[in-house]
Amino acid sequence: MSTASPCPALDVASVPPFSLAGESRRSFLKEHLAALTAWHRASCPAYARILDAMGVGAVDGSPESLPFLPVPLFKTIDLRSVPDSQVTRVLTSSGTSGRPVSRIALDSATSVLLGQAFVAVTRDLLGATRRPMMILDSRDVLHGAARGTARAAAVLGFAPFGRDHFYALDADLRPNWDAVRAWLDRQGTQPILLFGFTFIVWQCFVQAAREQGISLTLPKGSLLLHGGGWKRMADQAVSPQDFADTLAQTFALQDVRNYYGMVEQTGAVFMSCPHGRLHVPCYADVLVRDPASLRPLPQGESGLLQVMSILPRSYPGHVLLSEDLGAVTGEDDCPCGRPGKTVRIEGRLPAAELRGCSETRVVGG
């Protein structure tokens, strides 16, 4: 493969995730996305053939002009921009049983960038203080076949942001309320961090408590971070507001945060602030397209999310058309003071195959 176009340099440490606003952010993203498009075109023959077939010439890096790949393409084509010998890890999204999976090849440099960005975004939104951490999952998720899932990866990824870790669910995902109360008693009035996948938090912790008449008062200032999508709760018609209200009623928990991400763009995670707005870090961008015509839509209108990230170096996943519906809700105007775009995730395109990062697996490496 050709390396005529150099891989653009990026120092995440010198660019905090919410440090750029307005034209400064747009110029920063355009420069990196244009350079990444050239790099991947020169380094990934399959990507180059796709762009040639699309008639794509040089791009200026603006979101509207960038050629995008549909996310499902990673289930059918092995797209890599580095030699196989440099691949240290392959992430896969298994989706529903028997369906093809995305295969995302990472080299060591890309893995480092993804990790640095993830830590920077999470620390900015959650703060640097490590709180006692209750993980709303089973410890077994870290062992056996479950070890390669996104649940395990997420637990391992977020665990360093807490301390005195406690797993609230047993191997059958049932809460041990006596152990929960004992652990909470040990923490006293210290605010705690709770973490879990959305459907497990709801079905295995919140609903279990309500069915058993359990009511707990968590320490003031405690925070729940949850993610993994809402698709498994769709048949229960639970809205984010219902979710938050029920947690407040059952556990006196006032601070509920969500995060959004996908295996095809790991690292550039979107995370909600105390005002409930989902923030796009300056390593990423979002454009909303009409599902039928694919024309770009203005702020506030709902459509398909085109997600962009300046992090992927080992595979051409820097500009993707997702299967998720949503809208840009603002830009540089959040009351929390963080610049950049904020978005609303509204669910999955109805005709799209159900799949999500909750079933991500790591193979090899």
Side-chain angles (χ1 to χ4, degrees):
M1 64 181 63
S2 170
T3 56
S5 183
C7 184
L10 174 64
D11 180 8
V12 170
S14 68
V15 187
F18 303 104
S19 60
L20 299 175
E23 190 55 39
S24 295
R25 183 182 65 258
R26 287 189 283 273
S27 296
F28 173 76
L29 288 168
K30 281 180 64 176
E31 176 186 352
H32 281 270
L33 289 169
L36 272 178
T37 301
W39 155 255
H40 289 303
R41 187 170 204 161
S43 307
C44 177
Y47 181 68
R49 288 194 293 272
I50 292 171
L51 296 197
D52 290 345
M54 295 168 65
V56 175
V59 298
D60 66 5
S62 61
E64 296 82 1
S65 70
L66 287 167
F68 55 79
L69 300 181
V71 166
L73 193 64
F74 286 87
K75 298 177 181 177
T76 57
I77 303 178
D78 199 10
L79 295 166
R80 301 184 178 192
S81 301
V82 295
D84 291 348
S85 60
Q86 293 182 16
V87 173
T88 57
R89 195 161 60 143
V90 177
L91 304 179
T92 71
S93 176
S94 60
T96 52
S97 178
R99 293 184 180 275
V101 298
S102 292
R103 295 180 60 83
I104 306 301
L106 304 182
D107 64 353
S108 57
T110 301
S111 292
V112 168
L113 275 180
L114 301 183
Q116 290 175 335
F118 173 77
V119 170
V121 172
T122 305
R123 184 169 293 166
D124 190 287
L125 270 299
L126 297 186
T129 302
R130 296 170 64 227
R131 314 179 190 196
M133 186 172 184
M134 180 186 293
I135 298 169
L136 302 180
D137 210 317
S138 166
R139 186 182 293 275
D140 287 3
V141 74
L142 303 180
H143 303 286
R147 182 179 174 81
T149 66
R151 278 171 51 198
V155 169
L156 292 171
F158 283 106
F161 297 94
R163 58 180 173 82
D164 193 11
H165 303 92
F166 169 69
Y167 290 80
L169 307 182
D170 65 17
D172 296 318
L173 298 181
R174 295 176 302 196
N176 182 337
W177 296 116
D178 290 338
V180 168
R181 290 189 181 93
W183 185 83
L184 286 172
D185 286 344
R186 288 203 303 274
Q187 308 313 322
T189 59
Q190 297 181 88
I192 67 170
L193 171 65
L194 301 97
F195 171 79
F197 267 71
T198 307
F199 74 95
I200 291 179
V201 173
W202 179 257
Q203 295 181 1
C204 304
F205 195 71
V206 178
Q207 291 295 80
R210 293 175 69 83
E211 290 170 4
Q212 298 170 42
I214 302 292
S215 180
L216 301 173
T217 301
L218 298 181
K220 185 178 180 181
S222 295
L223 182 156
L224 166 67
L225 178 65
H226 67 99
W230 296 80
K231 59 184 180 297
R232 296 196 182 191
M233 297 165 64
D235 60 340
Q236 301 183 41
V238 180
S239 71
Q241 191 59 54
D242 294 336
F243 185 82
D245 289 346
T246 305
L247 281 158
Q249 295 164 7
T250 310
F251 302 110
L253 185 62
Q254 304 298 327
D255 198 351
V256 177
R257 310 280 188 91
N258 190 20
Y259 70 90
Y260 169 82
M262 60 178 65
V263 65
E264 293 85 358
Q265 281 193 354
T266 301
V269 62
F270 305 169
M271 196 172 292
S272 62
C273 72
H275 294 272
R277 296 176 68 168
L278 206 56
H279 283 264
V280 181
C282 63
Y283 318 125
D285 201 0
V286 171
L287 178 72
V288 179
R289 292 186 179 275
D290 182 277
S293 67
L294 297 184
R295 67 179 175 85
L297 295 176
Q299 179 178 316
E301 290 196 22
S302 298
L304 271 179
L305 300 182
Q306 173 183 317
V307 289
M308 293 148 279
S309 169
I310 63 173
L311 303 176
R313 309 307 166 102
S314 55
Y315 67 99
H318 58 304
V319 187
L320 302 176
L321 186 66
S322 78
E323 298 169 312
D324 295 319
L325 298 168
V328 174
T329 56
E331 184 170 358
D332 300 334
D333 61 356
C334 184
C336 78
R338 292 178 177 82
K341 291 181 180 178
T342 56
V343 298
R344 178 179 64 243
I345 308 299
E346 300 172 344
R348 187 62 54 87
L349 188 68
E353 171 195 356
L354 287 178
R355 70 100 180 89
C357 62
S358 61
E359 297 301 334
T360 304
R361 292 175 180 273
V362 181
V363 297

PDB file of all heavy atoms in Angstrom, residues 36-72:
ATOM      1  N   LEU A  36      -6.917  13.185   6.880  1.00  0.00           N
ATOM      2  CA  LEU A  36      -7.213  11.770   7.117  1.00  0.00           C
ATOM      3  C   LEU A  36      -7.802  11.112   5.871  1.00  0.00           C
ATOM      4  O   LEU A  36      -7.502   9.949   5.566  1.00  0.00           O
ATOM      5  CB  LEU A  36      -8.198  11.627   8.278  1.00  0.00           C
ATOM      6  CG  LEU A  36      -7.589  11.530   9.681  1.00  0.00           C
ATOM      7  CD1 LEU A  36      -8.699  11.443  10.727  1.00  0.00           C
ATOM      8  CD2 LEU A  36      -6.660  10.322   9.799  1.00  0.00           C
ATOM      9  N   THR A  37      -8.637  11.846   5.141  1.00  0.00           N
ATOM     10  CA  THR A  37      -9.205  11.291   3.909  1.00  0.00           C
ATOM     11  C   THR A  37      -8.092  10.972   2.917  1.00  0.00           C
ATOM     12  O   THR A  37      -8.081   9.899   2.292  1.00  0.00           O
ATOM     13  CB  THR A  37     -10.215  12.280   3.296  1.00  0.00           C
ATOM     14  OG1 THR A  37     -11.258  12.531   4.242  1.00  0.00           O
ATOM     15  CG2 THR A  37     -10.825  11.709   2.018  1.00  0.00           C
ATOM     16  N   ALA A  38      -7.142  11.888   2.787  1.00  0.00           N
ATOM     17  CA  ALA A  38      -6.005  11.652   1.885  1.00  0.00           C
ATOM     18  C   ALA A  38      -5.161  10.482   2.368  1.00  0.00           C
ATOM     19  O   ALA A  38      -4.709   9.641   1.571  1.00  0.00           O
ATOM     20  CB  ALA A  38      -5.169  12.926   1.781  1.00  0.00           C
ATOM     21  N   TRP A  39      -4.941  10.413   3.691  1.00  0.00           N
ATOM     22  CA  TRP A  39      -4.124   9.326   4.259  1.00  0.00           C
ATOM     23  C   TRP A  39      -4.766   7.965   4.002  1.00  0.00           C
ATOM     24  O   TRP A  39      -4.110   7.014   3.551  1.00  0.00           O
ATOM     25  CB  TRP A  39      -3.941   9.551   5.754  1.00  0.00           C
ATOM     26  CG  TRP A  39      -3.662   8.308   6.557  1.00  0.00           C
ATOM     27  CD1 TRP A  39      -4.515   7.638   7.378  1.00  0.00           C
ATOM     28  CD2 TRP A  39      -2.429   7.571   6.597  1.00  0.00           C
ATOM     29  NE1 TRP A  39      -3.917   6.549   7.932  1.00  0.00           N
ATOM     30  CE2 TRP A  39      -2.629   6.476   7.470  1.00  0.00           C
ATOM     31  CE3 TRP A  39      -1.195   7.737   5.979  1.00  0.00           C
ATOM     32  CZ2 TRP A  39      -1.640   5.545   7.744  1.00  0.00           C
ATOM     33  CZ3 TRP A  39      -0.195   6.797   6.255  1.00  0.00           C
ATOM     34  CH2 TRP A  39      -0.426   5.723   7.125  1.00  0.00           C
ATOM     35  N   HIS A  40      -6.048   7.865   4.294  1.00  0.00           N
ATOM     36  CA  HIS A  40      -6.703   6.573   4.122  1.00  0.00           C
ATOM     37  C   HIS A  40      -6.812   6.203   2.629  1.00  0.00           C
ATOM     38  O   HIS A  40      -6.719   5.033   2.277  1.00  0.00           O
ATOM     39  CB  HIS A  40      -8.090   6.601   4.773  1.00  0.00           C
ATOM     40  CG  HIS A  40      -8.042   6.615   6.271  1.00  0.00           C
ATOM     41  ND1 HIS A  40      -7.399   5.628   6.996  1.00  0.00           N
ATOM     42  CD2 HIS A  40      -8.526   7.489   7.187  1.00  0.00           C
ATOM     43  CE1 HIS A  40      -7.504   5.897   8.290  1.00  0.00           C
ATOM     44  NE2 HIS A  40      -8.178   7.028   8.433  1.00  0.00           N
ATOM     45  N   ARG A  41      -7.012   7.195   1.785  1.00  0.00           N
ATOM     46  CA  ARG A  41      -7.077   6.916   0.345  1.00  0.00           C
ATOM     47  C   ARG A  41      -5.747   6.358  -0.152  1.00  0.00           C
ATOM     48  O   ARG A  41      -5.706   5.456  -0.988  1.00  0.00           O
ATOM     49  CB  ARG A  41      -7.423   8.196  -0.408  1.00  0.00           C
ATOM     50  CG  ARG A  41      -7.678   7.968  -1.883  1.00  0.00           C
ATOM     51  CD  ARG A  41      -8.252   9.204  -2.542  1.00  0.00           C
ATOM     52  NE  ARG A  41      -9.010   8.856  -3.743  1.00  0.00           N
ATOM     53  CZ  ARG A  41      -9.899   9.654  -4.312  1.00  0.00           C
ATOM     54  NH1 ARG A  41     -10.136  10.849  -3.803  1.00  0.00           N
ATOM     55  NH2 ARG A  41     -10.545   9.266  -5.391  1.00  0.00           N
ATOM     56  N   ALA A  42      -4.660   6.902   0.385  1.00  0.00           N
ATOM     57  CA  ALA A  42      -3.337   6.440  -0.039  1.00  0.00           C
ATOM     58  C   ALA A  42      -2.944   5.126   0.618  1.00  0.00           C
ATOM     59  O   ALA A  42      -2.091   4.401   0.095  1.00  0.00           O
ATOM     60  CB  ALA A  42      -2.294   7.507   0.299  1.00  0.00           C
ATOM     61  N   SER A  43      -3.576   4.800   1.740  1.00  0.00           N
ATOM     62  CA  SER A  43      -3.114   3.662   2.539  1.00  0.00           C
ATOM     63  C   SER A  43      -4.047   2.464   2.506  1.00  0.00           C
ATOM     64  O   SER A  43      -3.637   1.362   2.875  1.00  0.00           O
ATOM     65  CB  SER A  43      -2.933   4.100   4.007  1.00  0.00           C
ATOM     66  OG  SER A  43      -2.104   5.236   4.105  1.00  0.00           O
ATOM     67  N   CYS A  44      -5.289   2.660   2.113  1.00  0.00           N
ATOM     68  CA  CYS A  44      -6.264   1.569   2.103  1.00  0.00           C
ATOM     69  C   CYS A  44      -6.793   1.416   0.668  1.00  0.00           C
ATOM     70  O   CYS A  44      -7.645   2.195   0.230  1.00  0.00           O
ATOM     71  CB  CYS A  44      -7.413   1.861   3.080  1.00  0.00           C
ATOM     72  SG  CYS A  44      -8.712   0.607   3.071  1.00  0.00           S
ATOM     73  N   PRO A  45      -6.297   0.419  -0.074  1.00  0.00           N
ATOM     74  CA  PRO A  45      -6.719   0.273  -1.482  1.00  0.00           C
ATOM     75  C   PRO A  45      -8.228   0.135  -1.635  1.00  0.00           C
ATOM     76  O   PRO A  45      -8.806   0.680  -2.594  1.00  0.00           O
ATOM     77  CB  PRO A  45      -5.983  -1.006  -1.914  1.00  0.00           C
ATOM     78  CG  PRO A  45      -4.772  -1.059  -1.033  1.00  0.00           C
ATOM     79  CD  PRO A  45      -5.238  -0.537   0.302  1.00  0.00           C
ATOM     80  N   ALA A  46      -8.888  -0.568  -0.724  1.00  0.00           N
ATOM     81  CA  ALA A  46     -10.342  -0.746  -0.845  1.00  0.00           C
ATOM     82  C   ALA A  46     -11.063   0.594  -0.692  1.00  0.00           C
ATOM     83  O   ALA A  46     -12.019   0.888  -1.421  1.00  0.00           O
ATOM     84  CB  ALA A  46     -10.833  -1.739   0.209  1.00  0.00           C
ATOM     85  N   TYR A  47     -10.598   1.401   0.238  1.00  0.00           N
ATOM     86  CA  TYR A  47     -11.194   2.730   0.434  1.00  0.00           C
ATOM     87  C   TYR A  47     -10.951   3.600  -0.798  1.00  0.00           C
ATOM     88  O   TYR A  47     -11.854   4.317  -1.253  1.00  0.00           O
ATOM     89  CB  TYR A  47     -10.582   3.370   1.681  1.00  0.00           C
ATOM     90  CG  TYR A  47     -11.123   4.742   2.010  1.00  0.00           C
ATOM     91  CD1 TYR A  47     -12.438   4.923   2.428  1.00  0.00           C
ATOM     92  CD2 TYR A  47     -10.297   5.877   1.929  1.00  0.00           C
ATOM     93  CE1 TYR A  47     -12.928   6.189   2.746  1.00  0.00           C
ATOM     94  CE2 TYR A  47     -10.773   7.135   2.250  1.00  0.00           C
ATOM     95  CZ  TYR A  47     -12.087   7.294   2.662  1.00  0.00           C
ATOM     96  OH  TYR A  47     -12.574   8.541   2.984  1.00  0.00           O
ATOM     97  N   ALA A  48      -9.743   3.506  -1.367  1.00  0.00           N
ATOM     98  CA  ALA A  48      -9.432   4.283  -2.572  1.00  0.00           C
ATOM     99  C   ALA A  48     -10.353   3.889  -3.717  1.00  0.00           C
ATOM    100  O   ALA A  48     -10.841   4.753  -4.464  1.00  0.00           O
ATOM    101  CB  ALA A  48      -7.967   4.065  -2.954  1.00  0.00           C
ATOM    102  N   ARG A  49     -10.615   2.582  -3.863  1.00  0.00           N
ATOM    103  CA  ARG A  49     -11.512   2.136  -4.950  1.00  0.00           C
ATOM    104  C   ARG A  49     -12.929   2.658  -4.724  1.00  0.00           C
ATOM    105  O   ARG A  49     -13.625   3.015  -5.686  1.00  0.00           O
ATOM    106  CB  ARG A  49     -11.498   0.608  -5.028  1.00  0.00           C
ATOM    107  CG  ARG A  49     -10.202   0.019  -5.584  1.00  0.00           C
ATOM    108  CD  ARG A  49     -10.365  -1.444  -5.956  1.00  0.00           C
ATOM    109  NE  ARG A  49     -10.588  -2.285  -4.795  1.00  0.00           N
ATOM    110  CZ  ARG A  49      -9.611  -2.830  -4.068  1.00  0.00           C
ATOM    111  NH1 ARG A  49      -8.344  -2.612  -4.400  1.00  0.00           N
ATOM    112  NH2 ARG A  49      -9.890  -3.592  -3.037  1.00  0.00           N
ATOM    113  N   ILE A  50     -13.357   2.697  -3.476  1.00  0.00           N
ATOM    114  CA  ILE A  50     -14.702   3.222  -3.171  1.00  0.00           C
ATOM    115  C   ILE A  50     -14.788   4.695  -3.565  1.00  0.00           C
ATOM    116  O   ILE A  50     -15.741   5.128  -4.215  1.00  0.00           O
ATOM    117  CB  ILE A  50     -15.020   3.028  -1.672  1.00  0.00           C
ATOM    118  CG1 ILE A  50     -15.174   1.549  -1.352  1.00  0.00           C
ATOM    119  CG2 ILE A  50     -16.289   3.792  -1.296  1.00  0.00           C
ATOM    120  CD1 ILE A  50     -15.268   1.258   0.132  1.00  0.00           C
ATOM    121  N   LEU A  51     -13.781   5.468  -3.182  1.00  0.00           N
ATOM    122  CA  LEU A  51     -13.796   6.898  -3.519  1.00  0.00           C
ATOM    123  C   LEU A  51     -13.717   7.096  -5.027  1.00  0.00           C
ATOM    124  O   LEU A  51     -14.393   7.977  -5.587  1.00  0.00           O
ATOM    125  CB  LEU A  51     -12.644   7.628  -2.824  1.00  0.00           C
ATOM    126  CG  LEU A  51     -12.651   7.664  -1.293  1.00  0.00           C
ATOM    127  CD1 LEU A  51     -11.701   8.753  -0.798  1.00  0.00           C
ATOM    128  CD2 LEU A  51     -14.042   7.903  -0.724  1.00  0.00           C
ATOM    129  N   ASP A  52     -12.899   6.284  -5.698  1.00  0.00           N
ATOM    130  CA  ASP A  52     -12.812   6.392  -7.161  1.00  0.00           C
ATOM    131  C   ASP A  52     -14.172   6.098  -7.793  1.00  0.00           C
ATOM    132  O   ASP A  52     -14.598   6.789  -8.727  1.00  0.00           O
ATOM    133  CB  ASP A  52     -11.760   5.418  -7.694  1.00  0.00           C
ATOM    134  CG  ASP A  52     -10.343   5.846  -7.321  1.00  0.00           C
ATOM    135  OD1 ASP A  52     -10.165   7.016  -6.916  1.00  0.00           O
ATOM    136  OD2 ASP A  52      -9.433   5.002  -7.416  1.00  0.00           O
ATOM    137  N   ALA A  53     -14.836   5.053  -7.306  1.00  0.00           N
ATOM    138  CA  ALA A  53     -16.145   4.694  -7.860  1.00  0.00           C
ATOM    139  C   ALA A  53     -17.179   5.781  -7.608  1.00  0.00           C
ATOM    140  O   ALA A  53     -18.117   5.962  -8.402  1.00  0.00           O
ATOM    141  CB  ALA A  53     -16.616   3.377  -7.230  1.00  0.00           C
ATOM    142  N   MET A  54     -17.000   6.506  -6.502  1.00  0.00           N
ATOM    143  CA  MET A  54     -17.929   7.599  -6.182  1.00  0.00           C
ATOM    144  C   MET A  54     -17.573   8.877  -6.932  1.00  0.00           C
ATOM    145  O   MET A  54     -18.316   9.865  -6.867  1.00  0.00           O
ATOM    146  CB  MET A  54     -17.905   7.876  -4.659  1.00  0.00           C
ATOM    147  CG  MET A  54     -18.414   6.724  -3.797  1.00  0.00           C
ATOM    148  SD  MET A  54     -18.032   6.955  -2.028  1.00  0.00           S
ATOM    149  CE  MET A  54     -19.026   8.407  -1.643  1.00  0.00           C
ATOM    150  N   GLY A  55     -16.433   8.867  -7.614  1.00  0.00           N
ATOM    151  CA  GLY A  55     -16.013  10.059  -8.326  1.00  0.00           C
ATOM    152  C   GLY A  55     -15.520  11.159  -7.410  1.00  0.00           C
ATOM    153  O   GLY A  55     -15.591  12.348  -7.759  1.00  0.00           O
ATOM    154  N   VAL A  56     -15.008  10.787  -6.262  1.00  0.00           N
ATOM    155  CA  VAL A  56     -14.548  11.761  -5.273  1.00  0.00           C
ATOM    156  C   VAL A  56     -13.119  12.187  -5.595  1.00  0.00           C
ATOM    157  O   VAL A  56     -12.233  11.343  -5.740  1.00  0.00           O
ATOM    158  CB  VAL A  56     -14.617  11.171  -3.848  1.00  0.00           C
ATOM    159  CG1 VAL A  56     -14.015  12.150  -2.839  1.00  0.00           C
ATOM    160  CG2 VAL A  56     -16.053  10.827  -3.485  1.00  0.00           C
ATOM    161  N   GLY A  57     -12.908  13.489  -5.708  1.00  0.00           N
ATOM    162  CA  GLY A  57     -11.570  14.009  -5.890  1.00  0.00           C
ATOM    163  C   GLY A  57     -11.015  14.498  -4.559  1.00  0.00           C
ATOM    164  O   GLY A  57     -11.315  13.934  -3.506  1.00  0.00           O
ATOM    165  N   ALA A  58     -10.237  15.561  -4.613  1.00  0.00           N
ATOM    166  CA  ALA A  58      -9.703  16.132  -3.378  1.00  0.00           C
ATOM    167  C   ALA A  58     -10.855  16.746  -2.577  1.00  0.00           C
ATOM    168  O   ALA A  58     -11.819  17.270  -3.138  1.00  0.00           O
ATOM    169  CB  ALA A  58      -8.659  17.195  -3.696  1.00  0.00           C
ATOM    170  N   VAL A  59     -10.783  16.654  -1.250  1.00  0.00           N
ATOM    171  CA  VAL A  59     -11.846  17.192  -0.400  1.00  0.00           C
ATOM    172  C   VAL A  59     -11.261  18.289   0.478  1.00  0.00           C
ATOM    173  O   VAL A  59     -10.071  18.290   0.805  1.00  0.00           O
ATOM    174  CB  VAL A  59     -12.483  16.097   0.495  1.00  0.00           C
ATOM    175  CG1 VAL A  59     -13.137  15.027  -0.361  1.00  0.00           C
ATOM    176  CG2 VAL A  59     -11.446  15.486   1.427  1.00  0.00           C
ATOM    177  N   ASP A  60     -12.130  19.234   0.859  1.00  0.00           N
ATOM    178  CA  ASP A  60     -11.634  20.338   1.694  1.00  0.00           C
ATOM    179  C   ASP A  60     -11.853  20.085   3.179  1.00  0.00           C
ATOM    180  O   ASP A  60     -11.469  20.918   4.015  1.00  0.00           O
ATOM    181  CB  ASP A  60     -12.286  21.654   1.270  1.00  0.00           C
ATOM    182  CG  ASP A  60     -13.794  21.687   1.543  1.00  0.00           C
ATOM    183  OD1 ASP A  60     -14.337  20.733   2.149  1.00  0.00           O
ATOM    184  OD2 ASP A  60     -14.441  22.667   1.142  1.00  0.00           O
ATOM    185  N   GLY A  61     -12.494  18.978   3.526  1.00  0.00           N
ATOM    186  CA  GLY A  61     -12.667  18.627   4.941  1.00  0.00           C
ATOM    187  C   GLY A  61     -13.953  19.132   5.562  1.00  0.00           C
ATOM    188  O   GLY A  61     -14.225  18.836   6.722  1.00  0.00           O
ATOM    189  N   SER A  62     -14.762  19.884   4.799  1.00  0.00           N
ATOM    190  CA  SER A  62     -16.027  20.337   5.376  1.00  0.00           C
ATOM    191  C   SER A  62     -16.975  19.155   5.489  1.00  0.00           C
ATOM    192  O   SER A  62     -16.981  18.259   4.639  1.00  0.00           O
ATOM    193  CB  SER A  62     -16.643  21.425   4.504  1.00  0.00           C
ATOM    194  OG  SER A  62     -16.909  20.943   3.206  1.00  0.00           O
ATOM    195  N   PRO A  63     -17.789  19.097   6.553  1.00  0.00           N
ATOM    196  CA  PRO A  63     -18.644  17.922   6.788  1.00  0.00           C
ATOM    197  C   PRO A  63     -19.534  17.583   5.606  1.00  0.00           C
ATOM    198  O   PRO A  63     -19.742  16.415   5.279  1.00  0.00           O
ATOM    199  CB  PRO A  63     -19.476  18.342   8.005  1.00  0.00           C
ATOM    200  CG  PRO A  63     -18.646  19.361   8.706  1.00  0.00           C
ATOM    201  CD  PRO A  63     -17.922  20.101   7.616  1.00  0.00           C
ATOM    202  N   GLU A  64     -20.063  18.619   4.932  1.00  0.00           N
ATOM    203  CA  GLU A  64     -20.989  18.372   3.830  1.00  0.00           C
ATOM    204  C   GLU A  64     -20.297  17.745   2.623  1.00  0.00           C
ATOM    205  O   GLU A  64     -20.927  17.040   1.840  1.00  0.00           O
ATOM    206  CB  GLU A  64     -21.652  19.682   3.399  1.00  0.00           C
ATOM    207  CG  GLU A  64     -22.531  20.328   4.475  1.00  0.00           C
ATOM    208  CD  GLU A  64     -21.719  21.147   5.489  1.00  0.00           C
ATOM    209  OE1 GLU A  64     -20.489  21.216   5.339  1.00  0.00           O
ATOM    210  OE2 GLU A  64     -22.330  21.707   6.398  1.00  0.00           O
ATOM    211  N   SER A  65     -18.984  18.011   2.461  1.00  0.00           N
ATOM    212  CA  SER A  65     -18.284  17.554   1.267  1.00  0.00           C
ATOM    213  C   SER A  65     -17.558  16.227   1.466  1.00  0.00           C
ATOM    214  O   SER A  65     -17.153  15.596   0.487  1.00  0.00           O
ATOM    215  CB  SER A  65     -17.251  18.612   0.835  1.00  0.00           C
ATOM    216  OG  SER A  65     -16.177  18.671   1.761  1.00  0.00           O
ATOM    217  N   LEU A  66     -17.420  15.795   2.698  1.00  0.00           N
ATOM    218  CA  LEU A  66     -16.636  14.590   2.961  1.00  0.00           C
ATOM    219  C   LEU A  66     -17.382  13.344   2.492  1.00  0.00           C
ATOM    220  O   LEU A  66     -18.572  13.186   2.774  1.00  0.00           O
ATOM    221  CB  LEU A  66     -16.344  14.469   4.452  1.00  0.00           C
ATOM    222  CG  LEU A  66     -15.303  15.438   5.019  1.00  0.00           C
ATOM    223  CD1 LEU A  66     -15.355  15.425   6.541  1.00  0.00           C
ATOM    224  CD2 LEU A  66     -13.907  15.063   4.524  1.00  0.00           C
ATOM    225  N   PRO A  67     -16.703  12.438   1.790  1.00  0.00           N
ATOM    226  CA  PRO A  67     -17.347  11.178   1.423  1.00  0.00           C
ATOM    227  C   PRO A  67     -17.521  10.311   2.667  1.00  0.00           C
ATOM    228  O   PRO A  67     -16.582  10.143   3.449  1.00  0.00           O
ATOM    229  CB  PRO A  67     -16.355  10.546   0.449  1.00  0.00           C
ATOM    230  CG  PRO A  67     -15.030  11.140   0.819  1.00  0.00           C
ATOM    231  CD  PRO A  67     -15.306  12.533   1.308  1.00  0.00           C
ATOM    232  N   PHE A  68     -18.723   9.798   2.862  1.00  0.00           N
ATOM    233  CA  PHE A  68     -18.970   8.984   4.064  1.00  0.00           C
ATOM    234  C   PHE A  68     -19.160   7.520   3.683  1.00  0.00           C
ATOM    235  O   PHE A  68     -19.599   7.191   2.578  1.00  0.00           O
ATOM    236  CB  PHE A  68     -20.201   9.505   4.808  1.00  0.00           C
ATOM    237  CG  PHE A  68     -21.449   9.590   3.972  1.00  0.00           C
ATOM    238  CD1 PHE A  68     -22.211   8.465   3.684  1.00  0.00           C
ATOM    239  CD2 PHE A  68     -21.856  10.816   3.452  1.00  0.00           C
ATOM    240  CE1 PHE A  68     -23.357   8.549   2.911  1.00  0.00           C
ATOM    241  CE2 PHE A  68     -23.007  10.907   2.661  1.00  0.00           C
ATOM    242  CZ  PHE A  68     -23.760   9.767   2.390  1.00  0.00           C
ATOM    243  N   LEU A  69     -18.804   6.673   4.608  1.00  0.00           N
ATOM    244  CA  LEU A  69     -19.043   5.238   4.454  1.00  0.00           C
ATOM    245  C   LEU A  69     -20.202   4.846   5.362  1.00  0.00           C
ATOM    246  O   LEU A  69     -20.237   5.255   6.527  1.00  0.00           O
ATOM    247  CB  LEU A  69     -17.803   4.433   4.844  1.00  0.00           C
ATOM    248  CG  LEU A  69     -16.518   4.692   4.067  1.00  0.00           C
ATOM    249  CD1 LEU A  69     -15.406   3.776   4.586  1.00  0.00           C
ATOM    250  CD2 LEU A  69     -16.731   4.493   2.572  1.00  0.00           C
ATOM    251  N   PRO A  70     -21.142   4.049   4.870  1.00  0.00           N
ATOM    252  CA  PRO A  70     -22.193   3.553   5.767  1.00  0.00           C
ATOM    253  C   PRO A  70     -21.608   2.572   6.770  1.00  0.00           C
ATOM    254  O   PRO A  70     -20.763   1.734   6.422  1.00  0.00           O
ATOM    255  CB  PRO A  70     -23.176   2.869   4.811  1.00  0.00           C
ATOM    256  CG  PRO A  70     -22.377   2.544   3.605  1.00  0.00           C
ATOM    257  CD  PRO A  70     -21.302   3.590   3.487  1.00  0.00           C
ATOM    258  N   VAL A  71     -22.027   2.680   8.012  1.00  0.00           N
ATOM    259  CA  VAL A  71     -21.474   1.826   9.059  1.00  0.00           C
ATOM    260  C   VAL A  71     -21.543   0.338   8.712  1.00  0.00           C
ATOM    261  O   VAL A  71     -20.578  -0.402   8.958  1.00  0.00           O
ATOM    262  CB  VAL A  71     -22.184   2.115  10.405  1.00  0.00           C
ATOM    263  CG1 VAL A  71     -21.897   1.025  11.427  1.00  0.00           C
ATOM    264  CG2 VAL A  71     -21.744   3.472  10.942  1.00  0.00           C
ATOM    265  N   PRO A  72     -22.655  -0.163   8.121  1.00  0.00           N
ATOM    266  CA  PRO A  72     -22.714  -1.613   7.833  1.00  0.00           C
ATOM    267  C   PRO A  72     -21.629  -2.096   6.881  1.00  0.00           C
ATOM    268  O   PRO A  72     -21.396  -3.305   6.781  1.00  0.00           O
ATOM    269  CB  PRO A  72     -24.110  -1.781   7.215  1.00  0.00           C
ATOM    270  CG  PRO A  72     -24.913  -0.649   7.765  1.00  0.00           C
ATOM    271  CD  PRO A  72     -23.940   0.503   7.833  1.00  0.00           C
TER     272      PRO A  72
END
